[in-house]
Amino acid sequence: MMPLPFEPLPSLLQLTKSGPAFRGAPGYLAQAHAEFQQRHCLLLPQFLEPELLGMLQEHIRRGRFYDRAHEGISVELCLTTNIASAVLQFLVNHAGLFRCIEQITGCPTIRCFGGRVYRLIPGPAHYGSWHSDAVPSRLIGLSVNLSTEVFSGGEFELRCQGADEILCQVSNTGFGDALLFRIAPDLLHRVAGMHGTVPKTAYAGWFRSQPFPAGSGA
């Protein structure tokens, strides 16, 4: 397996309580675009400002999780809707953030984002299988690390349809860091198995070209 062969761009983009803020130095946006075009994914360190992250983690700690199975894809715990999930849904659905993601990824116009807070517990009960996520209107995937401790395993892996070679493998263990990844029929991805005793908690979903139907979920 080949690890992601580039260093993340420091503080390129940050989500704050007031909305998104571009933190990158001149030229970072063009460099991020080039990296994404080459690797189909990009790690964004410190995507959540520390104060916002701490607030979200506290509400997640108070929340309730339920078992959720995505048939043939994964089994996980999913957070019932609470303040944490509502705040994330509100903040990520920001036109300014959409425009920045479009510039980084080169994707068509983004009109909404839908996501969930999920948790993976080490052991055989929770797993992820290779899949594409390529359904109508999904453009770009996003996964934000909301864990309070450093977990082991749970790497994001990406490969081409019909190929065994891993294009990239990313351990998104930085608190509040985010991973962007391309959605396409010929690209498959998965979250690898967990190890040790520390669970992984993340906010994950898709930037979309059209709003998803009410009641359909992310």
Side-chain angles (χ1 to χ4, degrees):
M1 293 183 179
M2 183 174 64
L4 192 69
F6 58 85
E7 292 295 325
L9 301 178
S11 302
L12 171 66
L13 178 66
Q14 189 170 73
L15 201 61
T16 74
K17 291 182 178 179
S18 302
F22 180 70
R23 306 290 191 187
Y28 270 23
L29 196 59
Q31 185 179 347
H33 176 77
E35 295 284 9
F36 189 87
Q37 295 308 307
Q38 181 181 6
R39 309 299 177 187
H40 307 297
C41 61
L42 184 72
L43 190 63
L44 299 174
Q46 302 174 9
F47 179 71
L48 297 181
E49 68 172 346
E51 184 179 357
L52 173 60
L53 174 61
M55 182 271 286
L56 294 170
Q57 289 171 331
E58 177 59 23
H59 285 291
I60 291 170
R61 184 187 66 81
R62 299 176 187 177
R64 294 186 298 107
F65 285 81
Y66 64 93
D67 292 320
R68 181 176 180 181
H70 304 259
E71 186 174 356
I73 296 176
S74 65
V75 176
E76 65 190 28
L77 295 176
C78 189
L79 181 70
T80 58
T81 300
N82 73 353
I83 292 176
S85 56
V87 167
L88 283 164
Q89 190 73 2
F90 175 76
L91 290 176
V92 177
N93 277 280
H94 189 289
L97 178 61
F98 293 169
R99 303 294 84 82
C100 189
I101 299 300
E102 290 164 6
Q103 292 182 66
I104 291 173
T105 66
C107 73
T109 301
I110 298 169
R111 301 193 184 280
C112 76
F113 181 89
R116 71 197 185 283
V117 175
Y118 76 91
R119 177 169 290 164
L120 296 178
I121 306 295
H126 291 171
Y127 67 90
S129 302
W130 291 104
H131 61 287
S132 72
D133 278 350
V135 300
S137 85
R138 289 180 184 173
L139 300 172
I140 299 293
L142 171 73
S143 180
V144 185
N145 180 22
L146 299 175
S147 305
T148 57
E149 299 179 78
V150 177
F151 53 85
S152 179
E155 299 92 348
F156 173 86
E157 296 178 335
L158 185 72
R159 66 176 174 85
C160 291
Q161 178 84 27
D164 294 327
E165 180 184 2
I166 303 295
L167 294 177
C168 67
Q169 183 186 64
V170 186
S171 298
N172 185 14
T173 56
F175 302 129
D177 289 3
L179 178 71
L180 292 174
F181 57 95
R182 190 186 306 281
I183 303 297
D186 60 341
L187 289 176
L188 303 179
H189 64 270
R190 71 173 180 180
V191 176
M194 300 291 296
H195 310 299
T197 60
V198 177
K200 173 182 180 177
T201 305
Y203 179 64
W206 306 274
F207 293 98
R208 293 173 172 266
S209 60
Q210 297 293 334
F212 49 91
S216 66

